């Protein structure tokens, strides 16, 4: 087989690439530089088409600033297009893995399963040819088992000696290798028969990954192009996933063949036949159940319950940190369930990432078929976890986009339907909250990672409370409904506490006043967010990091922070009890307070002003203290009370009917 070019990926490749960062969402103004590129994104144009707006602008002699803006918009649009293409590709890859796992769960014809694996690998990697070779221990060589896209008969009938070609390099090292120019690559031994077959097929770039059973290589899965090409790390990892499924299919077929042979050789031993039949029935039962779980999107606990029933034991899914470290690492490295005291541990992995473990409790004697059943259950669990993660990320992204549109004052007619699909009631009373991390980061990467963790925690919190969340201004913004009897302050404090616990760092949260009918005006949510940001900054200035608060907590300062000047609410919070007492009892506590502050807080001068006895003034002030609290004469409280008294008088004057 061909092998890698010396300057290609000569070392083993594994793992998936890190997901790209989400670009900041910015709403284009009408006629802006982004418009032509948004149209290209909408109709799914090719990457070459994105150069056309810039070329037209230059041809029309537009200013350099306009051309620079178009260049920037083009780069952003191409990033968005690449992100969308990457997500579509990952969805197609996950779907293909699901389909292959389903084929494997209902395995009847090994050749059909291997053919489907090779076909899907070729389709997803976009190569001209894909093929699978298997080792022949009897003859001591390797032969072509399945090919897809091949046109040369000699290539399809190749038999290779062990250690020859790129396949020999893969088999020797048990690691994937890639070459972008087969005939120039001298890292492996070329032979006349291999080179002739490859030349007949016209292959140039080839990647091969091993088919592993335990520590043994049983074959190689290849993808190849008839032109020079550099295979990406994600493509090689995907090919490795298909190779793992192919090895599992071969292992299952071999196991079934061994079972049939054993049954044929033990016809006279009814006891053994019954035992073996029971094992096969359990394996078939669990295969059917796991296939059904994959199709209907079941959870990890459903898998554990199904396997528990089939294996007649207790199977649990645990986080990686809760499983025995040594046994878990052995299972991960070997790809098999391993025994740990009286338990069996099967690592749940995906693309090199350790997601957890399936643990069979108190079952030291485990049949090999049942052991493989536990291993296949771990594989299905990993697929379900990946699917759930993908679905959750998609829902969080959609919720964030809806909140972005509300903040950017998009057309509200279209937002109601989108909100209804997300179970968000835009007519209910909400509070807008601005959240920001307070822990310092050592470098930009750590800061970006902390912001991603904050956004993930905010998205999860919003999803569980029928709200929305998005990343904005270096932090997160949340739109959460207010429960009956709840206040914006209480909601802000709970949110600060919950987010801080989730990200293990102090999180400061500022909240807007309650707002209802979010789509009544296009700027409703944006104005509330601005108020929440002002409260957030006020908390920082007041030295209260990691706390949550709303404008109503800042006394008269809250009037300045609030987007809507809630004068009536301020007066009610400050002297409302005194006003209500006067109205119920017909007393003159408000008048006494006015005179008391006007006379410099002197009871003696106040009694002269009111023409009452000084004891009457003292009794009234004592009543005020019981209504407003013992600290009502402190400088800060007295300032708020005097302001509330003046605002109350002004509101009473403006409420009187005009005289004619």
């Amino acid at each position: 087989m061909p092998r890698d070019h010396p300057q290609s990926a000569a070392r083993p490749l594994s793992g998936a690439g890190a997901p790209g960062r989400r670009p900041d969402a910015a709403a284009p103004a009408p006629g802006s530089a982004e418009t032509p590129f948004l149209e290209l994104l909408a109709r799914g144009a090719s990457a070459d088409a994105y150069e056309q707006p810039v070329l037209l602008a230059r041809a029309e002699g537009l200013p350099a600033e306009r051309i620079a803006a178009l260049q920037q918009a083009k780069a952003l649009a191409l990033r968005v297009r690449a992100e969308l293409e990457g997500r579509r590709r990952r969805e197609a890859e996950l779907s293909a893995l699901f389909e292959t796992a389903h084929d494997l769960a209902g395995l009847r014809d090994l050749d059909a399963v291997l053919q489907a694996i090779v076909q899907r690998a070729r389709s997803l990697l976009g190569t001209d040819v894909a093929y699978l070779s298997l080792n022949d221990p009897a003859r001591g060589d390797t032969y072509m088992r399945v090919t897809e896209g091949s046109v040369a008969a000699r290539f399809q009938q190749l038999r290779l000696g062990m250690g020859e070609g790129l396949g020999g390099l893969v088999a020797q090292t048990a690691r994937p290798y890639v070459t972008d120019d087969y005939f120039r690559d001298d890292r492996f031994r070329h032979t006349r028969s291999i080179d002739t077959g490859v030349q007949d097929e016209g292959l140039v770039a080839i990647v091969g990954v091993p088919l592993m059973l335990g520590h043994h290589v049983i074959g190689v899965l290849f993808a190849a192009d008839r032109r020079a090409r550099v295979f990406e790390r994600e493509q090689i990892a995907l090919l490795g996933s298909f190779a793992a499924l192919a090895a599992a299919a071969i292992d299952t077929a071999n196991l079934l063949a061994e079972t049939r042979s054993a049954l044929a050789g033990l016809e006279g031993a009814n006891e053994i036949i019954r035992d073996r039949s029971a094992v096969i029935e359990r394996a078939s039962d669990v295969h059917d159940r796991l296939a059904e779980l994959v199709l209907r999107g079941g959870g990890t606990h459903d898998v554990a319950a199904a396997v528990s029933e089939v294996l007649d034991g207790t199977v649990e899914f645990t986080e990686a940190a809760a499983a025995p470290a040594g046994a878990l690492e052995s299972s991960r490295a070997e790809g098999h369930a391993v025994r740990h005291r009286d338990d069996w541990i099967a690592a749940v992995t995906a693309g090199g990432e350790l997601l957890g473990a399936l643990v069979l409790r108190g079952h030291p004697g485990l049949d090999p078929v049942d052991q493989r059943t536990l291993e296949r259950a771990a594989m299905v669990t990993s697929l379900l976890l990946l699917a759930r993660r993908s679905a959750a990320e998609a829902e969080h992204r959609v919720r964030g986009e809806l909140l972005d549109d509300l903040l950017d004052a998009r057309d509200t007619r279209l937002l109601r339907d989108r909100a209804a699909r997300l179970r968000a009631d835009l007519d209910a009373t909400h509070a807008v909250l601005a959240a920001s991390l307070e822990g310092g980061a050592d470098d930009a990467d750590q800061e970006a990672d902390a912001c991603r963790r904050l956004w993930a925690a905010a998205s999860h919190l919003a999803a569980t409370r029928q709200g929305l969340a998005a990343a904005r201004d270096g932090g997160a913004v949340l739109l959460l409904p207010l429960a009956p009897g709840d206040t914006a302050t209480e909601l802000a404090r709970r949110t600060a506490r919950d987010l801080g616990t989730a990200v293990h760092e102090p999180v400061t949260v500022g909240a807007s006043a309650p707002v209802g009918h979010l789509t009544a005006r296009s700027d409703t949510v944006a104005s509330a967010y601005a108020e929440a940001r002002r409260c957030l900054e006020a908390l920082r200035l007041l030295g209260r990091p990691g706390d949550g608060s709303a404008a109503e907590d800042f006394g008269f300062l809250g009037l300045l922070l609030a987007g809507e000047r809630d004068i009536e609410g301020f007066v009610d919070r400050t002297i409302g009890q005194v006003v209500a007492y006067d109205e119920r009892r017909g007393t003159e506590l408000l008048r006494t307070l006015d005179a008391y502050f006007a006379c410099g807080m002197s009871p003696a001068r106040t009694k002269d002003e009111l023409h009452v006895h000084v004891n009457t003034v003292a009794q009234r002030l004592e009543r005020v203290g019981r209504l407003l609290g013992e600290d009502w004469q402190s400088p800060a409280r007295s300032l708020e009370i005097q302001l509330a008294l003046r605002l109350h008088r002004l509101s009473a004057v403006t409420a009187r009917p005009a005289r004619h």
Side-chain angles (χ1 to χ4, degrees):
M1 289 291 129
R3 62 182 181 183
D4 299 331
H5 190 277
Q7 297 179 352
S8 301
R11 62 179 181 273
L13 301 173
S14 64
R21 297 179 182 173
R22 175 182 176 271
D24 291 342
S32 66
E34 293 89 344
T35 301
F37 300 105
L38 290 175
E39 294 174 353
L40 291 171
L41 284 170
R43 69 169 189 259
S46 65
D48 296 334
Y50 287 74
E51 191 66 35
Q52 192 65 24
V54 180
L55 296 176
L56 288 174
R58 288 174 175 163
E60 293 172 3
L62 295 183
E65 295 82 0
R66 177 66 176 177
I67 293 175
L70 285 169
Q71 288 279 19
Q72 185 178 4
K74 180 192 76 172
L76 181 59
L78 286 173
R79 285 170 55 195
V80 173
R81 180 182 181 275
E83 177 71 13
L84 292 173
E85 289 293 330
R87 291 177 181 175
R88 282 194 287 268
R89 184 176 65 251
R90 287 192 292 273
E91 290 172 358
E93 293 171 357
L94 184 58
S95 175
L97 289 174
F98 268 120
E99 292 171 0
T100 304
H102 181 229
D103 292 344
L104 178 56
L107 178 64
R108 295 295 180 270
D109 185 350
L110 176 61
D111 287 333
V113 174
L114 295 181
Q115 187 70 47
I117 289 173
V118 172
Q119 288 174 348
R120 289 166 187 158
R122 179 194 177 202
S123 174
L124 287 177
L125 269 66
T127 57
D128 297 324
V129 182
Y131 50 102
L132 184 147
S133 68
L134 292 180
N135 295 348
D136 186 346
R139 297 182 54 172
D141 63 1
T142 300
Y143 65 99
M144 291 286 190
R145 177 64 182 267
V146 180
T147 64
E148 179 68 17
S150 172
V151 296
R154 189 181 327 203
F155 180 79
Q156 298 169 11
Q157 299 169 4
L158 274 178
R159 295 191 73 96
L160 301 79
M162 301 300 279
E164 298 177 350
L166 185 140
L169 185 61
V170 173
Q172 286 177 352
T173 61
R175 296 178 178 180
Y177 279 88
V178 61
T179 178
D180 55 5
D181 192 338
Y182 166 78
F183 290 100
R184 292 186 178 182
D185 203 330
D186 57 359
R187 290 175 302 164
F188 46 83
R189 183 157 59 92
H190 289 262
T191 66
R192 180 184 298 274
S193 61
I194 298 176
D195 288 357
T196 303
V198 173
Q199 190 171 20
D200 287 352
E201 194 64 49
L203 301 182
V204 177
I206 305 174
V207 59
V209 296
L211 275 65
M212 304 289 298
L213 281 182
H215 295 293
H216 302 290
V217 179
I218 63 170
V220 180
L221 179 60
F222 299 90
D225 258 341
R226 296 187 176 95
R227 63 188 185 284
R229 170 180 177 175
V230 176
F231 288 95
E232 298 177 357
R233 184 179 297 273
E234 293 81 2
Q235 294 174 320
I236 299 172
L238 175 62
L239 193 64
S241 297
F242 279 116
L245 290 174
I250 294 169
D251 184 30
T252 300
N254 291 339
L255 179 61
L256 292 175
E258 292 171 3
T259 303
R260 295 188 187 101
S261 175
L263 289 174
L266 297 173
E267 288 181 350
N270 292 330
E271 184 71 24
I272 298 177
I273 290 176
R274 282 195 298 269
D275 292 343
R276 199 62 182 175
S277 296
V279 170
I280 295 174
E281 288 176 4
R282 289 202 305 273
S284 178
D285 184 22
V286 77
H287 288 165
D288 292 342
R289 294 189 183 201
L290 294 180
E292 181 184 358
L293 286 175
V294 170
L295 292 175
R296 65 179 175 87
T300 57
H301 296 294
D302 296 325
V303 174
V307 180
S308 296
E309 185 175 345
V310 171
L311 297 184
D312 192 23
T314 301
V315 177
E316 300 174 354
F317 173 78
T318 66
E319 300 295 334
L328 184 61
E329 187 57 35
S330 297
S331 176
R332 178 184 186 180
E334 298 175 8
H336 290 294
V338 299
R339 181 176 171 180
H340 176 71
R341 298 176 182 170
D342 290 340
D343 301 336
W344 285 84
I345 311 295
V348 177
T349 62
E353 180 182 1
L354 186 59
L355 304 178
L358 283 184
V359 181
L360 175 60
R361 304 287 186 188
H363 212 307
L366 192 63
D367 186 277
V369 176
D370 290 341
Q371 180 181 342
R372 287 179 174 82
T373 295
L374 184 63
E375 294 163 2
R376 286 173 181 77
M379 180 184 295
V380 171
T381 301
S382 70
L383 292 175
L384 294 177
L385 288 174
L386 287 176
R388 180 174 297 178
R389 177 190 294 178
S390 178
E393 290 175 350
E395 181 178 352
H396 291 167
R397 184 176 66 255
V398 172
R399 288 180 177 273
E401 290 169 352
L402 175 58
L403 182 52
D404 280 334
D405 288 345
L406 284 169
L407 288 168
D408 295 334
R410 293 278 198 269
D411 187 352
T412 58
R413 294 172 300 176
L414 303 177
L415 300 182
R416 285 182 173 275
D417 292 340
R418 291 169 55 190
R421 288 193 292 270
L422 294 172
R423 301 183 300 281
D425 182 6
L426 298 186
D427 291 328
T429 301
H430 288 73
V432 178
L433 302 102
S436 177
L437 288 167
E438 297 301 330
D442 295 334
D443 54 41
D445 289 340
Q446 290 184 357
E447 182 177 359
D449 181 66
C451 289
R452 282 194 295 271
R453 287 189 285 110
L454 174 62
W455 179 80
S459 298
H460 176 73
L461 182 64
T464 58
R465 299 185 182 178
Q466 285 75 51
L468 304 173
R472 183 162 287 217
D473 297 327
V477 54
L478 300 93
L479 180 68
L480 299 179
L482 277 171
D486 204 359
T487 66
T489 297
E490 294 169 347
L491 180 61
R493 288 173 179 167
R494 285 200 309 272
T495 303
R497 182 174 62 251
D498 293 343
L499 293 180
T501 301
V503 302
H504 307 293
E505 291 185 33
V507 177
T508 306
V509 176
S512 72
V515 291
H517 302 288
L518 302 179
T519 58
R521 287 185 7 221
S522 60
D523 63 343
T524 298
V525 178
S527 299
Y529 176 57
E531 179 181 335
R533 288 287 303 175
R534 289 194 292 271
C535 289
L536 174 64
E537 294 303 325
L539 286 172
R540 288 172 168 170
L541 291 173
L542 294 174
R544 292 167 57 186
D547 197 0
S549 191
E552 63 188 25
D553 302 321
F554 295 98
F556 73 90
L557 180 60
L559 292 176
L560 304 177
L561 296 174
E564 299 287 341
R565 301 292 187 256
D566 184 15
I567 294 175
E568 183 178 348
F570 170 72
V571 172
D572 184 64
R573 290 191 298 272
T574 307
I575 61 172
Q577 295 189 54
V578 177
V579 174
Y581 190 88
D582 275 353
E583 291 176 350
R584 289 195 311 270
R585 305 291 182 90
T587 54
E588 294 186 342
L589 297 185
L590 282 178
R591 182 165 171 260
T592 302
L593 271 177
D594 265 334
Y596 180 66
F597 285 121
C599 294
M601 302 176 70
S602 168
R605 287 158 52 188
T606 302
K607 61 99 176 174
D608 293 336
E609 177 70 20
L610 297 176
H611 304 290
V612 297
H613 195 275
V614 68
N615 288 341
T616 302
V617 173
Q619 290 171 1
R620 292 178 180 177
L621 294 179
E622 182 182 356
R623 172 63 62 183
V624 168
R626 287 200 294 269
L627 293 173
L628 299 184
E630 296 181 356
D631 65 337
W632 71 276
Q633 297 189 72
S634 66
R637 288 291 308 280
S638 64
L639 178 60
E640 291 184 3
I641 293 170
Q642 292 177 69
L643 177 59
L645 288 168
R646 294 193 179 190
L647 292 174
H648 180 66
R649 287 200 302 272
L650 288 173
S651 63
V653 170
T654 56
R656 293 173 187 167
R659 294 182 179 179
H660 298 284

